[in-house]
Amino acid sequence: MVEKQTPISNTGRIISLDVMRGVAILGIYLVNMLSFHSPYMIIDPLDYWNQGIDRVVYILIDFFAQASFYPLFSMLFGYGLMLMMVRAAGKKGSFFALAFRRLSFLLIVGIVHAFLIWPGDILITYASIGILALIFLRLSGKALMATGLMMYIIPNFLLGLLLLAADMSRLDASSAMFNDEQAKTALQVYSSGTFSEITKMRVWEWSESNNWETAPILLFSLLPLFLIGAGVAKLNWLADIRKHRRKLKVFSGSALAAGFLIKGLPYYGWEGYSAEFFQDFFGGPLLAIAYGGLIALSVRRREELAGFFANVGRMSMTNYLLQSLISTLIFYGYGAGLYGKVSVLTGTVLVVAVFIAQAVGSRIWLSRFNYGPLEWVWRSFTYLKLQQMVKGEVA
């Protein structure tokens, strides 16, 4: 017999977490938009957008957003798992049953998203690696953080050194990524193809990024971030900002300085794929830590702005999928067919417009309801009990 668990109410939410999720949703959308309107993953972007305002906007996105917001969201994901574990223990519930149902639902949504909407989905990977993360969650907060840091730094640093050696040997490590013929195919299929043709292209693109060759990279770039986030949760760093303010200031300031330094590597004259690797795999997460810390430190002083992002963060899954749905309808052949016909600047303006609309819509929705629509289904499935959706409604 399946045991039903009592869910956690919305009371006692840590507002800084919702703000971070909202900011991460915006940052991820800025980067994803490059793939929504162009074959970003299989072109050399600095060659593709090689002049004018598009080049400037791309560099700004590359420096401040690329590989900096998915790590933040990944750490928040681990934080959420730990929060659920702690609260389930307080209610004497079966955390692993809850977590398995939660991750299973995420996997189902990810499959629909990846193959029927957009191949850049991250939910399938989160669900799969999230199951592995459950093994580590009984470690202490410090052990979680130490394990996560070692698991991230050692393999990725060694891989970076291999890429550096390849660059020094004048081997073109990026040639496997950039493919003009595939880019032309993507431009043709996504801009004018049928839903069936585009779906075949989606499946191919997803399988190119998610296979046995890329699995180790995905594992050692996401699982450690989950564990670091879980460690922060277990140490209560964000639940009691006043107590840990000095520590957060030091970590945030140091991460910001180091992140900016490493993020600029490809623009200092260091040519080759190794510079881009260190930029993304080390500069990106450092900026993520800095962004998260700065948000936590400033939420109380910027309450109105915090609320703007927090509403989006409370409905993060709904808003993430809505961004994909809106964007693919604009750019794909079964919609307006504007794929390959939009500049980086126009795409960025569209991101801002859609996000503002989502922030306004989320605020209106949450003034009447306790959860976003997908969050309500997700939560009800997790706890095997329909959740109280309408505010003021008797459960």
Side-chain angles (χ1 to χ4, degrees):
M1 182 176 179
V2 179
E3 180 184 0
K4 293 185 178 181
Q5 303 297 334
T6 303
I8 308 303
S9 70
N10 272 328
T11 59
R13 294 185 70 93
I14 302 174
I15 185 67
S16 61
L17 296 180
D18 290 327
V19 177
M20 288 180 207
R21 289 189 186 97
V23 171
I25 287 293
L26 173 59
I28 289 169
Y29 194 21
L30 281 168
V31 176
N32 285 350
M33 179 55 74
L34 298 172
S35 293
F36 282 131
H37 65 62
S38 303
Y40 171 60
M41 299 304 294
I42 48 179
I43 59 170
D44 182 345
L46 287 175
D47 183 57
Y48 195 78
W49 297 301
N50 58 11
Q51 60 185 354
I53 189 66
D54 274 357
R55 182 179 177 85
V56 173
V57 175
Y58 168 73
I59 289 174
L60 290 173
I61 292 172
D62 184 50
F63 191 89
F64 291 101
Q66 168 65 22
S68 295
F69 286 100
Y70 87 79
L72 176 58
F73 208 83
S74 299
M75 287 184 277
L76 290 170
F77 186 82
Y79 194 109
L81 284 177
M82 179 56 69
L83 215 57
M84 174 180 278
M85 180 177 178
V86 171
R87 288 172 173 173
K91 294 178 177 293
K92 297 182 180 180
S94 174
F95 163 70
F96 289 99
L98 290 175
F100 185 77
R101 288 197 295 271
R102 184 174 179 83
L103 295 171
S104 297
F105 183 84
L106 195 67
L107 178 63
I108 293 168
V109 173
I111 291 171
V112 173
H113 182 224
F115 302 131
L116 297 181
I117 302 177
W118 183 58
D121 170 79
I122 194 65
L123 302 182
I124 295 175
T125 308
Y126 270 36
S128 303
I129 297 179
I131 292 174
L132 292 177
L134 301 180
I135 300 171
F136 297 86
L137 294 188
R138 294 197 183 277
L139 296 174
S140 69
K142 290 182 179 179
L144 280 165
M145 294 190 72
T147 302
L149 286 169
M150 288 189 295
M151 192 182 292
Y152 190 93
I153 293 171
I154 294 173
N156 286 309
F157 186 72
L158 291 175
L159 179 55
L161 291 180
L162 286 174
L163 292 171
L164 178 59
D167 287 339
M168 294 177 69
S169 302
R170 300 188 181 280
L171 296 175
D172 189 2
S174 64
S175 60
M177 294 184 59
F178 306 143
N179 190 308
D180 290 340
E181 289 303 314
Q182 290 176 0
K184 290 177 182 177
T185 301
L187 285 166
Q188 180 180 356
V189 173
Y190 282 130
S191 64
S192 58
T194 64
F195 185 86
S196 176
E197 291 169 336
I198 290 173
T199 298
K200 289 179 182 178
M201 189 71 185
R202 275 191 286 245
V203 172
W204 177 83
E205 279 203 5
W206 185 89
S207 63
E208 284 293 298
S209 301
N210 300 269
N211 51 56
W212 291 112
E213 293 179 1
T214 61
I217 296 175
L218 292 171
L219 177 65
F220 288 107
S221 62
L222 290 178
L223 178 58
L225 297 175
F226 290 176
L227 300 187
I228 291 169
V232 172
K234 208 160 195 178
L235 293 170
N236 288 318
W237 283 8
L238 299 180
D240 190 353
I241 298 296
R242 292 180 181 178
K243 181 179 178 181
H244 300 287
R245 180 172 294 275
R246 185 175 179 181
K247 189 182 301 180
L248 285 170
K249 283 183 178 180
V250 171
F251 276 128
S252 301
S254 302
L256 188 67
F260 279 165
L261 184 65
I262 299 175
K263 266 287 195 168
L265 287 177
Y267 304 106
Y268 300 151
W270 180 350
E271 296 181 357
Y273 187 55
S274 58
E276 297 177 21
F277 180 86
F278 280 106
Q279 177 198 38
D280 286 351
F281 279 76
F282 288 92
L286 283 168
L287 282 191
I289 292 170
Y291 292 158
L294 292 173
I295 289 169
L297 291 167
S298 61
V299 160
R300 289 182 178 273
R301 301 176 185 176
R302 301 285 187 272
E303 292 186 3
E304 190 64 31
L305 184 61
F308 178 84
F309 287 103
N311 288 324
V312 176
R314 285 181 60 188
M315 296 173 54
S316 56
M317 180 186 283
T318 296
N319 283 313
Y320 171 68
L321 294 177
L322 191 57
Q323 288 170 355
S324 295
L325 187 60
I326 291 171
S327 300
T328 51
L329 286 175
I330 291 172
F331 298 113
Y332 285 5
Y334 54 77
L338 296 179
Y339 189 87
K341 303 171 184 176
V342 170
S343 67
V344 178
L345 177 61
T346 301
T348 302
V349 171
L350 180 61
V351 166
V352 175
V354 170
F355 187 82
I356 290 173
Q358 288 185 307
V360 173
S362 297
R363 180 175 181 175
I364 294 171
W365 180 276
L366 292 172
S367 68
R368 297 188 59 191
F369 303 104
N370 288 314
Y371 314 102
L374 268 173
E375 286 73 18
W376 177 79
V377 177
W378 192 14
R379 195 176 176 89
S380 297
F381 182 85
T382 298
Y383 293 101
L384 299 177
K385 177 183 178 182
L386 290 178
Q387 302 299 290
Q388 182 179 323
M389 181 62 154
V390 180
K391 286 191 173 181
E393 186 179 68
V394 179

